[in-house]
Amino acid sequence: MRSIVIAAGVLLLSVPAVAAPARSALPETSITVNGNGGGRVFDGVGAILGGGGNARYLQDYPPAQRAQILDFLFKPGYGASLQLLKLEIGGDGNSSDGAEPSVEHTAGDIHCNAGYELAIARQAVAINPSLKLYGLQWGAPGWVGRNGSLFTRADIRYLLDWLGCARRHGLAISYLGGWNERDSGSHASWYRSLRAALNVGGYPNVQIVAGDAFGNDTWRYAASPSVAILGAHDNCGYPTGVAGAKTKCVSTTAARQSGKPLWGSELGAMDAGARAGCTTPCAPAMDRAFTREYIDARVTGALEWPALDSMPAAVLPYENRGLLTADQPWSGSYTVNAMTWAIAQITQFVSPPTAANPGGWKYIDSAIGYLQGNRADGSYVTLVRSTRDQWSTIIEATAVTGVQRARFTVTGGKSLAGKTVHVWSSNFSPATGGPAQWFVHQPDIKPVNGQFTLIIRPGHVYSLTTASGQGKGTAASPPAADLPLPYRNNLSAGTGEPTMLAAEDGSFELAPCHSPDGSTTCAKQTTVGQPVLWVSGRRRHPYAIIGTDRASYVVTVDVMLPQSGSAGLIGRYHAVDAADGIFDGYIFDVRTDGTFTLKLSNGGTAAYTASAPRLVKPGSATMLADGKVSFRPRTWHTLSLALSGTTIQARIDGRQVASLNDSALTSGIPGLEVGGWYPAYFSDLTITKPLP
């Protein structure tokens, strides 16, 4: 037993869980909250909106449901109450679950309304004006790079152009990074040039975060005067907290002694849930990482990836991640995941410096540690408001099996000992917990002579505070429903990108045209030349997906190529490693010289072993049919791909050009594709049921 003080009184929280043993049998930890104590300043907890098109569908949601989702993310005292938001600086290439368009496909041609990141940020800041924004790039247009690198003079110009777009949206960017997970720690001179350019360009208050990388690559900037914050990825394991009770977070001595704030600038890939069947580590690993980040590594800021799962369902690699799942814009249905409440257990109880509280909250180094002095029994941190009039403690027992007790003594500060303590808890145990037990306000505690005790149950997170303002959002989602067929999308409406069309590589944006159905706006592939890719994959090319995972359907679209090249349709798409450019799907591609191919793309899934043993090399494609027809550039043509059971048929301008049987893929999502990094126009897309 770790004992510092003796406290009086016992509180048993009314959380349905394991019955508490007799008092004498409970292991105990004593915690002294000294309101005069001190430590590092808390910098905030947030989430990452980018890193792969994860929020693509949010802008397509009905306004009422979109507002509810944004409230659960950003509204103080309502849901996750995010304090930091990292935005992806769109780079036209896949960055995990999709691609986001750049604001500057070619040098000097700036389109500040490209993509959705800045639009969502504008809505988020309207909800919480204290929200701090952070920009980071995963990839960039080809003109920016040199020899496959983004650490160039052109990239500094590009970053300032993006900051200019943010400013035009009325947004102040507080933090800016370099190149996501591609920084070796050897670019101090580039950051020096970036710092100088920011100062000259009117952005002296933008702080640089580096290196947004793994391990010691981040901490190597400890001595760089241009880098204000050291940001590391996955320094508590990958996925975050995967070691369970043994989770340990790391930083270097040089980093801790540098005087710079240390951040977990990307923690994530945890399952969004906390119910039976969630993939370990589940959502409460975020709380486990938060406490241990400071105890082990003196990290004071953390960002979870991704903020949302708002993208086509059941076909992409990193689904079931994020604070909410919102993948049905046609129905407006969404789910508030356990991750929302895991983060709320932090953000609703402490806050970074704001205009209203410039000093923010500080850790109390004498009131942090491991329950019973053993990391296997859980961990806790305590913080005090800079005005010394409020305190909060966050306790996690997320990977613990037994009931424990904490004994508190409160001293110092501005009469802290006599203040009422509010308690909120979440039972994240997959066996005994559930949504009704997430973020529950428990009975308040009135300390006696500054002393009280708290029962700590396994699988739980507790937040104790003398501050007020906590709350749990009440908005309710409409019921879920499959995308109804027939579905028609003339690809002429949306907020910059056509409604529901999710780019996986390249950029598909609204552009002027004259389509066969009379529309004057179409979907255009706008990426010019191969971008500087976050991950250099096999044969990468632009494509986008739309709809839902189905077994049988007919997808039809009008297409026009203004120059030589090819374009087509995808059927039964499933990503295996989208960032590396390989996927499962049937690809129907037609060139402007009239040649067409129908191929089976092998992403390397186990299904191929049983149903199509001829496919043995991941990333390969098997020719199923080919031929030649009349197909010209600068002319609109209609393509159709029908899949029903094992029957696959392809048509060009109403003429059937291929009909065959193949059983390799049984379901998947439809999509559009372009054979290279050049323009192509699409209009009047339909998805219908196949004829009997």
Side-chain angles (χ1 to χ4, degrees):
M1 180 184 76
R2 182 181 179 191
S3 181
I4 302 173
V5 297
I6 304 297
V10 176
L11 173 73
L12 290 179
L13 295 180
S14 57
V15 181
V18 180
R23 176 171 175 169
S24 60
L26 289 179
E28 296 175 349
T29 301
S30 293
I31 303 169
T32 296
V33 178
N34 180 356
N36 298 324
R40 300 188 180 216
V41 174
F42 170 70
D43 290 314
V45 169
I48 302 169
L49 194 64
N54 308 93
R56 170 62 191 89
Y57 274 174
L58 182 58
Q59 288 293 82
D60 295 333
Y61 259 71
Q65 282 73 50
R66 183 171 68 248
Q68 292 168 10
I69 292 166
L70 290 167
D71 280 349
F72 276 117
L73 289 170
F74 302 110
K75 187 175 180 180
Y78 191 85
S81 304
L82 294 175
Q83 299 156 339
L84 303 170
L85 181 64
K86 183 187 283 190
L87 306 172
E88 178 171 356
I89 300 172
D92 294 338
N94 187 286
S95 54
S96 283
D97 281 315
E100 299 192 28
S102 167
V103 298
E104 196 172 5
H105 299 301
T106 57
D109 187 14
I110 301 171
H111 299 272
C112 289
N113 290 324
Y116 55 79
E117 296 276 348
L118 295 176
I120 292 176
R122 192 171 62 243
Q123 297 167 73
V125 171
I127 295 168
N128 178 11
S130 296
L131 182 71
K132 292 187 176 181
L133 304 176
Y134 173 176
L136 181 67
Q137 55 191 342
W138 274 248
W143 69 269
V144 168
R146 183 178 181 184
N147 299 324
S149 174
L150 287 187
F151 292 105
T152 65
R153 290 181 181 274
D155 190 48
I156 292 175
R157 170 187 167 184
Y158 177 62
L159 291 175
L160 265 68
D161 289 342
W162 181 82
L163 288 171
C165 283
R167 182 173 282 176
R168 290 181 204 176
H169 280 266
L171 299 171
I173 303 299
S174 297
Y175 312 105
L176 185 67
W179 190 7
N180 180 74
E181 297 177 352
R182 292 297 176 267
D183 192 338
S184 63
S186 60
H187 300 286
S189 62
W190 183 84
Y191 286 109
R192 196 160 52 243
S193 297
L194 175 61
R195 178 72 271 161
L198 291 170
N199 294 343
V200 171
Y203 303 99
N205 296 324
V206 175
Q207 297 185 72
I208 295 175
V209 185
D212 273 304
F214 304 111
N216 289 334
D217 287 347
T218 280
W219 312 125
R220 290 190 178 110
Y221 293 110
S224 171
S226 303
V227 173
I229 298 165
L230 303 178
H233 289 200
D234 304 320
N235 68 315
C236 301
Y238 183 83
T240 295
V242 69
K246 296 180 180 180
T247 294
K248 184 176 182 180
C249 304
V250 297
S251 62
T252 64
T253 301
R256 294 191 295 274
Q257 293 178 349
S258 68
K260 303 178 191 294
L262 314 182
W263 287 9
S265 55
E266 182 177 313
L267 304 177
M270 302 94 84
D271 192 306
R275 302 193 194 190
C278 62
T279 303
T280 303
C282 305
M286 186 65 193
D287 293 311
R288 187 158 66 244
F290 169 73
T291 54
R292 297 171 190 225
E293 280 280 32
Y294 190 76
I295 297 167
D296 295 341
R298 290 302 189 261
V299 165
T300 56
L303 292 108
E304 181 271 346
W305 177 81
L308 278 176
D309 178 350
S310 190
M311 54 194 182
V315 295
L316 293 169
Y318 295 101
E319 299 185 70
N320 195 29
R321 307 289 189 272
L323 287 74
L324 289 91
T325 298
D327 55 15
Q328 291 201 351
W330 53 87
S331 71
S333 182
Y334 63 88
T335 302
V336 182
N337 298 324
M339 186 63 77
T340 290
W341 308 116
I343 289 178
Q345 293 278 171
I346 306 163
T347 53
Q348 291 206 31
F349 302 90
V350 292
S351 62
T354 63
N357 178 30
W361 288 66
K362 293 184 177 181
Y363 288 88
I364 302 176
D365 287 352
S366 60
I368 66 172
Y370 290 98
L371 298 173
Q372 303 180 61
N374 184 351
R375 72 176 61 242
D377 294 314
S379 53
Y380 63 94
V381 292
T382 304
L383 300 94
V384 63
R385 202 171 189 263
S386 62
T387 49
R388 304 288 176 180
D389 59 345
Q390 308 290 351
W391 67 271
S392 296
T393 294
I394 293 98
I395 302 171
E396 65 83 19
T398 54
V400 178
T401 58
V403 180
Q404 306 170 67
R405 178 168 45 234
R407 296 177 174 273
F408 282 83
T409 293
V410 183
T411 65
K414 296 181 179 179
S415 304
L416 292 182
K419 291 196 170 187
T420 298
V421 178
H422 312 293
V423 182
W424 290 74
S425 72
S426 292
N427 179 6
F428 289 130
S429 167
T432 63
Q437 298 182 55
W438 298 340
F439 207 68
V440 176
H441 187 191
Q442 302 297 338
D444 290 342
I445 303 171
K446 185 67 176 176
V448 177
N449 298 323
Q451 299 180 334
F452 65 92
T453 63
L454 175 77
I455 298 297
I456 301 170
R457 300 181 184 277
H460 284 59
V461 176
Y462 299 91
S463 300
L464 297 80
T465 189
T466 56
S468 59
Q470 297 78 30
K472 188 172 184 179
T474 58
S477 165
D482 289 337
L483 177 70
L485 297 186
Y487 169 77
R488 182 175 184 180
N489 185 337
N490 62 11
L491 303 177
S492 64
T495 53
E497 297 174 273
T499 301
M500 279 181 52
L501 188 65
E504 296 303 306
D505 242 331
S507 50
F508 293 76
E509 301 178 89
L510 296 175
C513 75
H514 296 284
S515 72
D517 67 357
S519 295
T520 56
T521 302
C522 300
K524 178 186 178 184
Q525 200 297 114
T526 52
T527 299
V528 180
Q530 180 168 302
V532 180
L533 298 168
W534 177 54
V535 176
S536 296
R538 294 171 171 82
R539 185 181 177 271
R540 299 278 290 274
H541 61 99
Y543 68 98
I545 58 177
I546 190 167
T548 55
D549 185 11
R550 294 179 186 271
S552 299
Y553 51 83
V554 180
V555 56
T556 302
V557 74
D558 291 333
V559 61
M560 189 271 286
L561 287 151
Q563 63 185 56
S564 62
S566 72
L569 292 167
I570 300 172
R572 292 181 179 168
Y573 169 92
H574 275 265
V576 178
D577 186 352
D580 199 33
I582 58 175
F583 58 84
D584 291 340
Y586 295 105
I587 303 174
F588 177 41
D589 181 80
V590 188
R591 297 194 60 81
T592 49
D593 65 3
T595 59
F596 70 86
T597 58
L598 178 57
K599 295 181 180 180
L600 173 60
S601 172
N602 176 13
T605 62
Y608 287 99
T609 302
S611 61
R614 66 187 183 281
L615 294 170
V616 295
K617 184 180 180 181
S620 66
T622 296
M623 183 73 71
L624 301 178
D626 61 353
K628 189 168 184 177
V629 296
S630 175
F631 192 94
R632 295 176 294 169
R634 298 178 296 280
T635 302
W636 284 94
H637 297 275
T638 301
L639 307 182
S640 180
L641 183 62
L643 307 107
S644 180
T646 61
T647 301
I648 303 169
Q649 297 176 325
R651 288 180 168 82
I652 300 174
D653 294 330
R655 173 190 169 191
Q656 182 171 293
V657 296
S659 181
L660 54 94
N661 289 298
D662 190 272
S663 60
L665 300 176
T666 57
S667 71
I669 200 166
L672 313 174
E673 63 91 32
V674 182
W677 304 96
Y678 41 73
Y681 290 83
F682 297 90
S683 180
D684 198 20
L685 181 143
T686 63
I687 307 171
T688 60
K689 295 179 180 179
L691 294 174

